[in-house]
Amino acid sequence: MKHSIVIVDDHILIAKAIGSILANFKQFEVLYECENGKELQEKCNHKNNVPHIVLLDISMPIMDGFETAKWLKENHPDVIVMALSMQDDEQSLIKMVKCGAKGYLLKNVHPVELENSLNSLIKMGFYYPDWAANKVFSSISNGNTESDEKIHFTEREKDFLRYTVTEMSYKEIADQMFCSHRTVEAYRDSLFEKLGLKSRVGLAVYAIRNGFDS
């Protein structure tokens, strides 16, 4: 059985190009294409139009990728969302993960990696390239709860974890926590060591997956 994919991208030529590439993948087939999230909503009103995977652009008119991913998470939680964007900044990645995306690729991705990423989505439930903290998602998705229970966080570290999922800079977080920028960096470095992480993306993912974003 082939896994159905919907492409949501307001750039028609890009959507068609992606569709042509996907046509060469034996395990996948394109169900249809949409120009924005609103169009996808309307299509998904019919059961037969609900796909296994949605390849989702972020910057779109009417209903962007963030809103669309959040809607899918709330209304069709079994649909796997893969962001496919030109935006490679941490803020976009963190926000998409918070909205429910299970993968994140840039549009200049090689077709081989695209196919590998789709296979990973089906088998593992997620896919993130190295720059997007792939190892972090892998360890969190495997759910090492026993070791997590042994980790002790101070209340200030918990507060800092909650702020990592926002779009605030470290300086802005320091202002919100009424402390210096160096103190915030100390919280960050302490959490890096305790969790074995190396980036803010990793901290944000951990926070989201463990309920520190609520």
Side-chain angles (χ1 to χ4, degrees):
M1 182 187 74
K2 289 191 175 184
H3 300 285
S4 58
I5 297 177
V6 165
I7 303 168
V8 185
D9 195 315
D10 62 314
H11 295 92
I12 298 175
L13 287 177
I14 292 178
K16 294 293 184 184
I18 295 170
S20 296
I21 293 172
L22 294 174
N24 296 315
F25 300 166
K26 293 181 180 180
Q27 296 185 3
F28 303 94
E29 62 181 356
V30 176
L31 193 58
Y32 54 87
E33 300 159 7
C34 295
E35 293 186 23
N36 55 66
K38 187 66 176 177
E39 185 178 343
L40 177 66
Q41 278 186 332
E42 295 170 356
K43 291 275 191 180
C44 285
N45 284 331
H46 301 283
K47 185 178 180 180
N48 291 337
N49 285 337
V50 179
H52 294 127
I53 299 172
V54 169
L55 291 182
L56 183 62
D57 190 17
I58 294 179
S59 299
M60 297 181 294
I62 304 176
M63 186 174 181
D64 65 19
F66 300 121
E67 293 178 273
T68 306
K70 187 175 181 181
W71 180 83
L72 286 169
K73 180 181 178 181
E74 294 172 351
N75 295 274
H76 297 282
D78 292 335
V79 175
I80 304 173
V81 175
M82 166 80 85
L84 191 57
S85 175
M86 292 299 294
Q87 301 182 36
D88 61 355
D89 58 289
E90 286 189 353
Q91 288 79 10
S92 295
L93 169 60
I94 291 170
K95 191 170 180 179
M96 281 301 290
V97 173
K98 191 172 182 179
C99 289
K102 301 301 182 183
Y104 198 109
L105 287 176
L106 299 180
K107 288 185 177 179
N108 62 357
V109 64
H110 192 281
V112 172
E113 184 177 359
L114 176 58
E115 185 173 16
N116 289 339
S117 70
L118 293 173
N119 286 323
S120 180
L121 284 180
I122 297 300
K123 295 177 182 179
M124 305 288 290
F126 66 93
Y127 180 84
Y128 291 85
D130 290 340
W131 71 270
N134 183 42
K135 292 181 180 179
V136 174
F137 280 87
S138 178
S139 63
I140 291 173
S141 295
N142 288 335
N144 192 356
T145 55
E146 182 178 351
S147 61
D148 286 348
E149 291 174 355
K150 296 178 182 178
I151 299 173
H152 173 72
F153 300 117
T154 68
E155 290 303 315
R156 295 292 278 175
E157 286 173 344
K158 291 178 182 178
D159 289 340
F160 175 73
L161 270 174
R162 294 184 181 96
Y163 282 116
T164 60
V165 303
T166 70
E167 299 179 32
M168 294 182 186
S169 65
Y170 284 133
K171 183 179 183 303
E172 290 170 331
I173 292 174
D175 292 339
Q176 289 292 316
M177 295 184 69
F178 302 102
C179 63
S180 68
H181 187 272
R182 286 192 174 185
T183 300
V184 160
E185 289 181 339
Y187 295 145
R188 177 200 63 192
D189 293 343
S190 175
L191 289 168
F192 279 170
E193 184 175 354
K194 289 180 179 181
L195 297 172
L197 304 177
K198 296 181 180 181
S199 70
R200 177 172 174 173
V201 172
L203 292 176
V205 171
Y206 182 90
I208 292 168
R209 294 296 177 88
N210 289 275
F212 286 98
D213 62 319
S214 57

